[in-house]
Amino acid sequence: MNKIAIKSILFFFFLCSLTHTTKAQGMRNITMQKFVPKGQWIVGSSVSYSQSEQKDYNFLVIESVSGEGYSFKISPLLCYAFADNMGAGGRFAYKRTLTKINQMDLEIGEDLNFSLNDVYSLSHSYSGVAMFRNYISLGNSRRFALFAESQLIFEGGQSKFVNGKGEDLTGTFSKNYCLELGVAPGLVAFINNYTAVEVNIGVLGVHYGHTRQVTDQIHIANQSSSSINFRINIFSIGMGIAFYL
């Protein structure tokens, strides 16, 4: 049995332990309030956009930085509550990132310096997520609640990296995909009876990824990776607006 299969089995038992939480709560006579009633639809989306531009910018050992870039991401959500405080659905995400560096100098010492010119990087990725949510009310509150979101994620993307000009031009084209099974706990806060703000944090479970690179249309390289962990990833904090209909 290979390592990926072993990791998947371990993570499966972890998810099974989560599904027994409701039963254990009944044994302890913990009363759960109905926060999301059966039959309710949950729709929403998160959108982010950032843009930057530098002209002769200096920061520590980095000098004379000139360039520009932007990043755009959109992620719609659709979920249905098939039982009280339990829902299932899906999410789609698309992200596009552009970075252009016209000039950048790295000055480490008098005899150690580097220059980077005419760098162009463009990437875009897409992902589909099948998810299951379990809401946990905070006491008798009808405005705030926690949720645990189990996710099965498939992500793919393409990117290209170009450096130089004319005869010195070199470039790498990459295609990648990954498969993940993980958990994302979060918090939901209602603004009114139908609109809520949701915040979640990715806790990665099982991950497998593969990347194929072609450099200068000649050299081909492949890389595969797999991992398992349950550490909180502070760089995967997500925030969006959801409508409970």
Side-chain angles (χ1 to χ4, degrees), residues 52-56 64-69 100-103:
S52 63
E53 183 177 359
Q54 301 83 29
K55 186 175 181 181
D56 295 329
S64 304
V65 180
S66 297
E68 57 184 327
K100 294 176 65 177
I101 300 178
N102 300 323
Q103 179 181 353

Side-chain angles (χ1 to χ4, degrees), residues 18-243:
L18 292 179
T19 61
H20 287 287
T21 301
T22 303
K23 182 178 179 181
Q25 290 169 346
M27 295 173 58
R28 295 179 177 85
N29 296 321
I30 298 176
T31 303
M32 297 298 297
Q33 299 295 325
K34 184 190 297 184
F35 189 80
V36 177
K38 178 182 178 180
Q40 193 164 55
W41 285 93
I42 305 159
V43 297
S45 179
S46 61
V47 179
S48 63
Y49 177 80
S50 62
Q51 184 175 1
S52 63
E53 183 177 359
Q54 301 83 29
K55 186 175 181 181
D56 295 329
Y57 177 74
N58 298 320
F59 178 75
L60 298 178
V61 296
I62 302 176
E63 299 181 355
S64 304
V65 180
S66 297
E68 57 184 327
Y70 69 82
S71 179
F72 168 76
K73 182 178 181 180
I74 183 170
S75 177
L77 161 72
L78 177 64
C79 186
Y80 176 73
F82 61 88
D84 291 343
N85 294 337
M86 293 185 181
R91 186 195 307 272
F92 176 79
Y94 173 78
K95 182 177 181 179
R96 182 182 178 92
T97 303
L98 171 68
T99 302
K100 294 176 65 177
I101 300 178
N102 300 323
Q103 179 181 353
M104 184 176 70
D105 298 326
L106 184 62
E107 300 286 346
I108 300 178
E110 295 182 358
D111 300 326
L112 187 60
N113 56 78
F114 304 93
S115 294
L116 190 64
N117 301 314
D118 301 318
V119 173
Y120 176 89
S121 175
L122 176 65
S123 65
H124 65 91
S125 63
Y126 50 86
S127 63
V129 182
M131 65 184 193
F132 168 77
R133 277 191 178 187
N134 185 13
Y135 289 86
I136 305 171
S137 60
L138 297 177
N140 296 322
S141 175
R142 303 292 297 170
R143 186 178 294 271
F144 301 98
L146 302 174
F147 65 82
E149 183 177 298
S150 301
Q151 302 176 336
L152 176 62
I153 308 170
F154 176 80
E155 181 176 352
Q158 298 178 346
S159 63
K160 61 180 179 179
F161 179 86
V162 180
N163 185 19
K165 286 184 177 181
E167 296 181 355
D168 297 328
L169 181 66
T170 181
T172 300
F173 178 79
S174 301
K175 295 182 67 175
N176 63 82
Y177 69 86
C178 70
L179 183 65
E180 297 180 2
L181 183 62
V183 179
L187 171 70
V188 56
F190 274 86
I191 302 173
N192 53 41
N193 289 332
Y194 305 101
T195 308
V197 176
E198 296 185 349
V199 180
N200 62 6
I201 301 176
V203 180
L204 182 62
V206 179
H207 167 91
Y208 174 79
H210 179 80
T211 301
R212 183 178 187 270
Q213 291 184 335
V214 180
T215 302
D216 297 335
Q217 299 183 353
I218 299 176
H219 306 287
I220 299 176
N222 292 277
Q223 180 187 23
S224 297
S225 62
S226 61
S227 63
I228 179 170
N229 67 74
F230 300 100
R231 294 176 298 180
I232 295 177
N233 184 0
I234 62 175
F235 296 103
S236 65
I237 297 177
M239 177 178 293
I241 297 293
F243 301 95

